[in-house]
Amino acid sequence: MNEEIRNKKANDRFLEQQLKNILKESSPFVITQKERKIINTISNETKINNKNNLTRTNAYLTFYRQHPEIHWAFLAHMVSRNGGYNMTDLKSPLLESFVDSKQQTILFHFLERANALIFHDAFPQLLLYKKSKEDSTDYSHLLPSFHVSKFMIPIWKFFFTSQQSSLLTYALITNEQHYVEKHLMTLPFIKKTVLLSFMYLLQEKLGFTHVLFPFKRYRFLNKHSLAGLEVHDFSSVKTRIDTGKKLYNILFSKNWLSSFSQFATKHEHTASRHDYWPHIFTNNIMDDPKIYSPPLAKAWEDVPHTFPKYQDWYIDFSQIKKFNNPLNIEFQVITKNVNHDLMLIKALSTMKELLT
């Protein structure tokens, strides 16, 4: 057994014990005046940036560019871009024929709520790390002030000294999906109106749900290719966590990470699919024969949110026992798949118009 493997096993054992111990800790802690100021500043900055999908998505990218060791921030940026595309798709002429205005609103609020919940939980963690880094002081003991799960306290403490980016990414993927599971996915209203809705089933069964990452596969072409995954069984927390891990491996591919980063930097996120495929989509409703994909500002108004009181999802170590297990996946170019599904939905939309 080489030294690297021995060190990893020792680190894993240490972290496992810390994660078990944190469940036994319930003693209150004293917050200093300086720490209270830090908490208030971070809370205010999070609230400002949690305005809509555009502000959240841009905040993730700004943070990642300042702190590239936090890989999850870039993954969150790219996945949040896709969340925005899904929001504006509801106002696309291709999908409007399948869902009435009431269903559009319900589905939008579902997507918006998931996007806002993750940001509300995760962004204070990022900002607290930023402040810890600036002051050369570990402030992870302040995480409970933002109602962050106990699970993340040993993780951030460990990361502050180890700088193991993949471990932190797997932990944040796990934490955020369990957080959304507890505060959104298991609500009876969501199960009834979203997960069993025709629109959800249409995407789930026919494969119209892709998480895609645009990149330049061929430098001599202006068009972006698409990497990513087709997502199924979104209602399963385990599937969402596994999907997050796979997307992380694709996004941080050594050969293509720089191209993904170039796209994110050069193309401002508007939530219109015109951002990455202007040869097919347009953000101008008068621009025929391209497919109209509106920017978020034209599709939906901002939604005010209230957030749940603290209820920790982490109650037993068995919930996260394998959180740090990687899921290796080959780099997947899905350009043809996305094109195929786009042609299929166009055909279905045309057929429905002819029959009504």
Side-chain angles (χ1 to χ4, degrees):
M1 185 184 297
N2 62 39
E3 189 68 20
E4 184 178 350
I5 295 175
R6 280 197 295 269
N7 288 339
K8 183 183 184 305
K9 289 198 170 185
N11 287 338
D12 287 349
R13 286 194 296 269
F14 171 78
L15 189 56
E16 176 180 336
Q17 192 58 52
Q18 296 301 305
L19 287 166
K20 289 178 178 178
N21 290 342
I22 197 71
L23 290 169
K24 303 172 185 177
E25 297 178 9
S26 59
S27 57
F29 59 94
V30 177
I31 299 176
T32 66
Q33 188 172 358
K34 178 185 177 182
E35 290 172 339
R36 177 62 61 190
K37 186 177 179 180
I38 292 171
I39 292 167
N40 290 337
T41 299
I42 289 176
S43 296
N44 289 335
E45 187 173 345
T46 300
K47 185 177 181 180
I48 290 169
N49 284 288
N50 206 355
K51 183 180 179 182
N52 56 46
N53 173 263
L54 305 184
T55 57
R56 295 173 204 125
T57 307
N58 292 334
Y60 287 136
L61 182 60
T62 298
F63 183 90
Y64 173 70
R65 293 177 70 182
Q66 295 171 348
H67 309 280
E69 70 274 21
I70 308 295
H71 292 180
W72 184 87
F74 188 47
L75 176 64
H77 167 78
M78 295 298 282
V79 172
S80 190
R81 276 184 179 255
N82 282 265
Y85 303 147
N86 291 331
M87 291 176 189
T88 58
D89 281 347
L90 294 167
K91 294 289 189 177
S92 163
L94 290 184
L95 296 185
E96 276 187 322
S97 59
F98 292 104
V99 58
D100 61 33
S101 59
K102 181 180 178 181
Q103 290 172 316
Q104 288 174 19
T105 301
I106 289 172
L107 290 166
F108 164 69
H109 279 275
F110 167 71
L111 294 168
E112 164 67 14
R113 183 63 173 169
N115 200 234
L117 278 170
I118 289 174
F119 190 88
H120 173 75
D121 186 72
F123 203 63
Q125 298 180 54
L126 305 187
L127 294 180
L128 195 60
Y129 168 76
K130 176 183 177 181
K131 184 61 177 173
S132 297
K133 193 174 166 184
E134 289 172 353
D135 292 357
S136 298
T137 302
D138 182 4
Y139 290 123
S140 56
H141 63 283
L142 297 180
L143 286 170
S145 299
F146 302 100
H147 307 308
V148 174
S149 172
K150 284 185 176 182
F151 167 65
M152 290 306 302
I153 298 174
I155 298 292
W156 278 110
K157 285 184 180 297
F158 186 75
F159 180 77
F160 194 66
T161 56
S162 71
Q163 296 289 287
Q164 289 189 23
S165 297
S166 60
L167 183 145
L168 177 65
T169 303
Y170 293 146
L172 282 166
I173 289 169
T174 301
N175 181 66
E176 301 318 320
Q177 290 307 323
H178 275 289
Y179 183 78
V180 168
E181 181 74 6
K182 186 171 186 64
H183 297 296
L184 182 65
M185 300 299 292
T186 54
L187 300 180
F189 176 79
I190 295 299
K191 288 184 175 181
K192 181 179 179 181
T193 61
V194 176
L195 301 184
L196 296 179
S197 73
F198 171 74
M199 186 62 189
Y200 176 81
L201 292 173
L202 178 74
Q203 293 182 321
E204 179 77 10
K205 301 304 181 186
L206 297 183
F208 298 138
T209 302
H210 295 92
V211 177
L212 49 87
F213 302 147
F215 71 108
K216 285 290 183 70
R217 190 179 187 186
Y218 305 108
R219 294 185 179 180
F220 56 88
L221 291 179
N222 290 327
K223 297 177 183 178
H224 283 94
S225 297
L226 304 175
L229 291 174
E230 188 174 295
V231 179
H232 290 289
D233 197 16
F234 187 75
S235 60
S236 163
V237 63
K238 181 183 184 302
T239 299
R240 296 197 307 275
I241 291 171
D242 289 349
T243 298
K245 289 182 176 182
K246 292 175 183 177
L247 289 170
Y248 171 51
N249 288 341
I250 292 171
L251 188 62
F252 278 79
S253 164
K254 290 181 180 180
N255 293 332
W256 300 110
L257 174 59
S258 62
S259 187
F260 293 134
S261 299
Q262 286 172 12
F263 167 80
T265 302
K266 292 181 179 180
H267 297 269
E268 180 184 0
H269 174 61
T270 71
S272 168
R273 293 190 183 271
H274 173 268
D275 291 352
Y276 66 88
W277 266 5
H279 61 291
I280 291 179
F281 296 97
T282 177
N283 54 15
N284 183 351
I285 197 168
M286 305 300 292
D287 189 10
D288 290 331
K290 294 180 180 180
I291 301 168
Y292 179 53
S293 178
L296 186 70
K298 289 184 179 180
W300 298 103
E301 295 182 355
D302 294 343
V303 176
H305 291 278
T306 57
F307 294 99
K309 293 182 179 178
Y310 182 58
Q311 289 182 303
D312 201 340
W313 61 265
Y314 180 46
I315 56 176
D316 188 87
F317 180 75
S318 62
Q319 292 173 279
I320 51 87
K321 189 174 182 180
K322 298 180 179 180
F323 86 91
N324 195 29
N325 287 3
L327 276 177
N328 296 321
I329 184 172
E330 291 185 8
F331 188 84
Q332 296 193 36
V333 180
I334 61 172
T335 310
K336 290 183 178 179
N337 306 64
V338 174
N339 257 322
H340 173 269
D341 288 351
L342 182 59
M343 294 304 104
L344 180 56
I345 193 66
K346 284 178 72 175
L348 290 173
S349 179
T350 301
M351 187 183 301
K352 193 171 189 303
E353 285 181 9
L354 292 174
L355 294 175
T356 55

Short mmCIF file of all heavy atoms in Angstrom, two decimals, residues 21 25 65 71 83 86 95 166 182 199 213 248 268 303 352:
data_model
loop_
_atom_site.label_atom_id
_atom_site.label_comp_id
_atom_site.label_asym_id
_atom_site.label_seq_id
_atom_site.Cartn_x
_atom_site.Cartn_y
_atom_site.Cartn_z
N ASN A 21 -19.13 12.17 15.81
CA ASN A 21 -19.10 12.96 17.04
C ASN A 21 -20.01 14.17 16.98
O ASN A 21 -20.62 14.56 17.99
CB ASN A 21 -17.67 13.41 17.34
CG ASN A 21 -16.76 12.28 17.75
OD1 ASN A 21 -17.23 11.19 18.14
ND2 ASN A 21 -15.46 12.49 17.67
N GLU A 25 -22.98 16.37 19.72
CA GLU A 25 -22.75 17.71 20.26
C GLU A 25 -24.02 18.55 20.19
O GLU A 25 -24.66 18.65 19.15
CB GLU A 25 -21.63 18.41 19.49
CG GLU A 25 -20.29 17.70 19.62
CD GLU A 25 -19.19 18.38 18.81
OE1 GLU A 25 -19.45 19.48 18.28
OE2 GLU A 25 -18.10 17.80 18.72
N ARG A 65 -14.46 32.17 -9.46
CA ARG A 65 -13.31 32.83 -10.09
C ARG A 65 -12.37 33.39 -9.03
O ARG A 65 -11.16 33.49 -9.25
CB ARG A 65 -13.79 33.92 -11.03
CG ARG A 65 -14.54 33.36 -12.25
CD ARG A 65 -15.06 34.45 -13.16
NE ARG A 65 -13.98 35.14 -13.84
CZ ARG A 65 -14.15 36.16 -14.67
NH1 ARG A 65 -15.38 36.62 -14.89
NH2 ARG A 65 -13.13 36.72 -15.27
N HIS A 71 -14.52 23.81 -6.07
CA HIS A 71 -15.05 23.31 -7.34
C HIS A 71 -16.57 23.35 -7.38
O HIS A 71 -17.16 23.59 -8.45
CB HIS A 71 -14.59 21.85 -7.55
CG HIS A 71 -13.12 21.72 -7.78
ND1 HIS A 71 -12.51 20.49 -7.99
CD2 HIS A 71 -12.12 22.64 -7.84
CE1 HIS A 71 -11.21 20.67 -8.16
NE2 HIS A 71 -10.95 21.96 -8.07
N GLY A 83 -30.99 25.22 -14.77
CA GLY A 83 -32.25 25.52 -14.09
C GLY A 83 -32.95 26.70 -14.74
O GLY A 83 -34.18 26.70 -14.91
N ASN A 86 -34.57 25.68 -17.99
CA ASN A 86 -35.81 24.96 -17.77
C ASN A 86 -36.96 25.91 -17.41
O ASN A 86 -38.11 25.67 -17.78
CB ASN A 86 -35.63 23.92 -16.66
CG ASN A 86 -34.73 22.77 -17.07
OD1 ASN A 86 -34.65 22.43 -18.24
ND2 ASN A 86 -34.03 22.19 -16.11
N LEU A 95 -43.17 24.17 -25.87
CA LEU A 95 -43.74 23.51 -24.70
C LEU A 95 -45.07 24.11 -24.26
O LEU A 95 -45.83 23.47 -23.54
CB LEU A 95 -42.75 23.55 -23.54
CG LEU A 95 -41.44 22.77 -23.75
CD1 LEU A 95 -40.60 22.78 -22.49
CD2 LEU A 95 -41.72 21.34 -24.18
N SER A 166 -12.34 17.73 -4.12
CA SER A 166 -13.34 16.73 -4.51
C SER A 166 -14.17 16.30 -3.30
O SER A 166 -15.39 16.13 -3.41
CB SER A 166 -12.68 15.52 -5.17
OG SER A 166 -11.77 14.90 -4.29
N LYS A 182 -35.70 17.37 2.01
CA LYS A 182 -36.46 17.59 3.24
C LYS A 182 -37.44 18.75 3.11
O LYS A 182 -38.56 18.68 3.63
CB LYS A 182 -35.49 17.86 4.40
CG LYS A 182 -36.19 17.97 5.75
CD LYS A 182 -35.20 18.02 6.89
CE LYS A 182 -35.91 17.97 8.24
NZ LYS A 182 -36.65 16.71 8.48
N MET A 199 -46.40 17.38 -17.59
CA MET A 199 -45.17 17.99 -18.09
C MET A 199 -43.95 17.27 -17.53
O MET A 199 -42.99 16.99 -18.27
CB MET A 199 -45.13 19.47 -17.68
CG MET A 199 -43.99 20.23 -18.28
SD MET A 199 -44.12 20.25 -20.07
CE MET A 199 -42.55 20.96 -20.47
N PHE A 213 -23.51 21.15 -20.63
CA PHE A 213 -22.38 22.07 -20.45
C PHE A 213 -21.81 22.41 -21.83
O PHE A 213 -21.19 21.55 -22.48
CB PHE A 213 -21.28 21.42 -19.60
CG PHE A 213 -21.73 20.97 -18.23
CD1 PHE A 213 -21.14 19.84 -17.65
CD2 PHE A 213 -22.69 21.65 -17.53
CE1 PHE A 213 -21.52 19.42 -16.38
CE2 PHE A 213 -23.09 21.23 -16.25
CZ PHE A 213 -22.49 20.12 -15.69
N TYR A 248 -20.02 16.48 -11.96
CA TYR A 248 -18.76 17.04 -11.46
C TYR A 248 -17.57 16.46 -12.21
O TYR A 248 -16.65 17.18 -12.63
CB TYR A 248 -18.65 16.78 -9.96
CG TYR A 248 -17.31 17.13 -9.34
CD1 TYR A 248 -16.72 18.37 -9.56
CD2 TYR A 248 -16.65 16.21 -8.51
CE1 TYR A 248 -15.50 18.69 -8.97
CE2 TYR A 248 -15.44 16.52 -7.93
CZ TYR A 248 -14.87 17.76 -8.17
OH TYR A 248 -13.65 18.08 -7.60
N GLU A 268 -22.73 35.76 -20.90
CA GLU A 268 -23.55 36.12 -19.75
C GLU A 268 -24.80 35.26 -19.70
O GLU A 268 -25.45 35.01 -20.72
CB GLU A 268 -23.94 37.60 -19.84
CG GLU A 268 -24.79 38.08 -18.68
CD GLU A 268 -25.26 39.51 -18.85
OE1 GLU A 268 -24.91 40.13 -19.87
OE2 GLU A 268 -25.98 40.00 -17.96
N VAL A 303 -39.68 36.18 -7.58
CA VAL A 303 -40.55 35.56 -6.58
C VAL A 303 -39.96 35.78 -5.19
O VAL A 303 -38.80 35.40 -4.95
CB VAL A 303 -40.69 34.05 -6.84
CG1 VAL A 303 -41.53 33.40 -5.74
CG2 VAL A 303 -41.31 33.80 -8.20
N LYS A 352 -49.58 18.13 -32.18
CA LYS A 352 -50.64 18.54 -31.25
C LYS A 352 -51.42 19.73 -31.80
O LYS A 352 -52.63 19.81 -31.66
CB LYS A 352 -50.01 18.90 -29.90
CG LYS A 352 -51.06 19.04 -28.78
CD LYS A 352 -50.39 19.18 -27.43
CE LYS A 352 -51.42 19.09 -26.31
NZ LYS A 352 -52.49 20.10 -26.42
#
